[in-house]
Amino acid sequence: MPRPASTPGQIALAAFIAIFLLAFLVVPVATVIHVAFTEKGTGSFTLINFADFLRTELFIRSFWNSVYVASMAVVLASAFALPLAALTTRFVFPGAALIQTLGFLPLIMPPFVGAVAMQLLFGRNGSINLLLDDGLGFKIPFMEGLNGVIFVQAVHYFPFILINLSAALRNIDRAMEEAAQNLGSSGFRLFRRIVFPLAMPGYLAGASLVFVKVFDDLATPLLLNVKDMLAPQAYLRVTSIGIADPMGYVISVVLIVVSVGAMWLSALAMKDRDYATVQRGGGGLARRKLRPGESALAYGVVLLILFLVLAPHVGLLLLSFATIWSFAPLPDAYTTAHYARVLGESSIYIKNTLIYAALAGTIDVVFGVAIAYLVLRTRLVGRHVLDWAAMAALAIPGLVLGIGYLRSYYAVQLPDGTPLATFWIMIVVALAIRRLPYALRACYAALQQISIALEEAAENLGATRSRTLRRIVMPLMTGGIVAGFVTSFSTAAVELSATLMLVQSNADAPLAYGLYVFMQSAAGRGPGAALGVIAVALVAICTLASHVLIERSQRSKGAAS
Amino acid sequence: MTPAGITIRGVNLSYGTNHVLKDVSLDISPGEFFAFLGPSGCGKTTLLRLIAGFNQADSGEIRIGGKDISALPPWQRDVGMVFQSYALWPHMTVRRNVAFGLEERRLPRAEIDRRVAAALDLVGLAALAERRPSQLSGGQQQRVAVARTVAIEPKLLLLDEPLSNLDAKLRVQVRRELRELQQRLRLTTIFVTHDQEEANTICDRIAVLNAGIVQQVGTPIDLYERPANLFVASFLGTANILDGRVGGEGAARVFEIAGGVRLPIPADRQIAPGAKLMFRPQDASLIAGGPDRITLDGEVAHREFLGASVRYGIRIGTAEIALETPFHAGDALREIGRPVTVSLSARTSQFLSP
């Protein structure tokens, strides 16, 4: 039950958040859209820029390439995720927990980092093709052109489908399956008619996320030297022709429309399918034992998939210790010199990343808690607008946000004369805006689970509202807040698309940017890989630490109640 | 379809060290409406799921219509089950839900359409065939679950606490509908419940289960009037149970309860060691004794006015019994603390073992 009457404090809080979102999300995006519809020079409304876009063969080809790559990445990612999700949730499968954990690993590495390692393993002269050529006399073009982008993106983003689909499968009431068996259904028919349709919302949520992420991604195609896709085209227009060229903005609008469209379509498809609320009682799906033959086949499939999706990590690790690795299945010799180099001269990247990601994560959980509180516990007029605005960031590609910041704040000068758009704080703000939706959902869920009676009991015993918030609500939300912070922190630490637009000098650059710079030259690959391994380790350690923290706090809460 | 009977012989089932069903044997006649009644954790749902094929027994056999089905998977058993949660598939309309089992049997489309329509007519939901389960009320969902199950014309209908998700008023109506439906289809039906009133009102016979053991099988009246043991007596209705020991010999035999109060025992009564005296609150009265009645002196400890009757708690020695008397307009209630004489019939009081 929301409380009556808004206090001045609540209004001030809401106003502050609104101004922040307005300045750093709404205005930049509106600017981008405005420029796309504005005639260069006169400033009047026009569709001529879009007509130019449609007339340019390169842009049309880039558009269809992006659609093709995003669609095929979804297909390939589904091919990775479906067997893993089905096998680990539907069968008694020793090692299921390990598989689920390994399945998450790709997410903690920027996809363009994996791209380099995958070139070395799967490229034309990579380990696999050299072995294939030696042994069987043919090569497979895993990494040629768009194939490479599809492969790298599918390997990187398939966990989104795996996570959502596994959760959906686990949440199906066992009675749903038993009722079908009772009426004569079994085996694959049962899976096709009952189990998979019930898990469909989870699958769609994951698949649409993969589509949007791949469609908007900038660094991976750039690093694989694929330029005829939309996001690289926008980047190249803005960086090579300048921020006054309208084409970058037109492409940005197209990116936004496709992102929003894909999310809208998946929301439409999931309408009236919030199955979880329909179910009552019962446990998760029954797990069946595999027969020996099935078991061997299942492990074969799982190992093959895990090999493919973990290859970038292994490749990166090898590369980071390699002296020379070229035209050979494995590096020639090993060294620790790359680590010495990045920890020495490039440690600024690591320091910057820790500062940026920590600041962005902090902003996100503060705003996340504040918005969740305003929405769930007050009756402030317009509180839902804050929620929607914060969530809208999901649909804005990082590249577009970066372009928007440049355009909106390049003319605004700091006291020392440099543009506000290139001030390092703007990188933090961009990261915070981009990750706010994740932190907000985590905080929102945490607050939603706290019964209002717990707060009323505290107030009844004499605690003021702010003391109740501090002594009752915040401690109970700890798990959600930590989860929100870690999600923001770890994804911000490896984010590049917005950053690529905003970084002006090496001294301000975060790790992902440094990686990108290193990876562009053959000589930089060793140090780049070392930096990549450090980034992966950093994110992994933070994620692990948060799991431990959350579990400990949940245990102590469990013991107390 | 001619209804099938079911025979359960020597069924045992354990989860690890937890012995859930202990040597269960039952015979259910064709066309009978049978209940498994017992407290939660007594094994009644486990037994039902065993019949449906969702659990595997460690030993024993289950025959339906004379055929041993123990080795068959659930989808080959032809045993329709209505789940406690109804388990309606939210991604299908009512019609698709009801058609599901028929489609799995690969029946011709026309036959499926005919039987779906008939099943929906049977439960009075023909008008809602195109709705989704989420657009139905709890009572309607329950009827879809029943229609879906009877559409396959199962040999046996299993109902797992089908009324527990309905509100009290609807429960009375729906249980009557279930009984009528069962009568019309002459379907052998097993109904699992923890609610003795539900079992009493709609079932032909009841098996009372406790701790994995069948305590007694009989008609509702049998179980109430002649409970086999103290568990059955106290699970079905309210029972006064007085602990005590047998003293004296022959005609002078007495049952001495705590506090030294002695009750004469009719000469023909057999009493097992450890047995206790049981009688129902309405079989005792505060009216003066008679030839065939036992009298006990006590005092009113508390009373509850229930409208049609008054329930007294009477302290006798250190024990306390419940006693229910009809209330008629103008009756005066007994005051708390006042001495009273309780009279109970030897015919309706029984000596039972745990």
Side-chain angles (χ1 to χ4, degrees), chain A residues 304-363:
Chain A
L304 179 69
I305 295 173
L306 285 183
F307 164 74
L308 285 176
V309 300
L310 296 179
H313 293 250
V314 178
L316 194 71
L317 197 63
L318 281 175
L319 185 59
S320 74
F321 286 107
T323 50
I324 295 172
W325 186 4
S326 179
F327 282 96
L330 285 174
D332 297 351
Y334 298 93
T335 172
T336 56
H338 302 318
Y339 284 93
R341 185 172 159 200
V342 294
L343 288 174
E345 66 183 76
S346 305
S347 61
I348 181 78
Y349 294 143
I350 299 168
K351 197 186 95 194
N352 284 342
T353 294
L354 289 175
I355 294 172
Y356 296 173
L359 282 176
T362 308
I363 293 173

Side-chain angles (χ1 to χ4, degrees), chain A residues 173 175-176 278-282, chain B residues 82-88 141 145 160-161 164-165:
Chain A
D173 189 337
M176 293 284 158
V278 186
Q279 297 154 21
R280 275 164 294 191
Chain B
V82 174
F83 289 75
Q84 185 173 8
S85 62
Y86 314 143
L88 298 181
Q141 289 182 14
D160 185 8
E161 305 238 11
S164 64
N165 283 325

Side-chain angles (χ1 to χ4, degrees), chain A residues 84 98-99 102-103 158 301-311:
Chain A
L84 290 187
L98 182 69
I99 292 164
L102 288 177
F158 89 94
V301 169
V302 166
L303 286 178
L304 179 69
I305 295 173
L306 285 183
F307 164 74
L308 285 176
V309 300
L310 296 179

Side-chain angles (χ1 to χ4, degrees), chain A residues 176 178 182-183 193 275, chain B residues 49 79 81 89 103 105:
Chain A
M176 293 284 158
E178 287 178 346
N182 178 257
L183 295 175
R193 296 195 66 190
Y275 299 148
Chain B
R49 291 171 58 81
V79 164
M81 176 157 166
W89 302 299
E103 287 163 358
R105 283 165 174 69

Side-chain angles (χ1 to χ4, degrees), chain A residues 350-431:
Chain A
I350 299 168
K351 197 186 95 194
N352 284 342
T353 294
L354 289 175
I355 294 172
Y356 296 173
L359 282 176
T362 308
I363 293 173
D364 283 348
V365 291
V366 170
F367 281 16
V369 170
I371 295 172
Y373 182 82
L374 289 172
V375 171
L376 290 172
R377 296 289 196 262
T378 73
R379 283 191 181 175
L380 201 65
V381 178
R383 62 193 188 281
H384 288 291
V385 176
L386 287 182
D387 190 13
W388 294 329
M391 292 310 289
L394 266 188
I396 306 303
L399 169 72
V400 175
L401 202 63
I403 294 177
Y405 280 19
L406 279 184
R407 178 77 187 204
S408 309
Y409 297 113
Y410 203 82
V412 181
Q413 289 198 345
L414 292 170
D416 66 352
T418 56
L420 173 62
T422 57
F423 185 41
W424 66 270
I425 290 286
M426 294 305 274
I427 302 174
V428 174
V429 170
L431 294 175

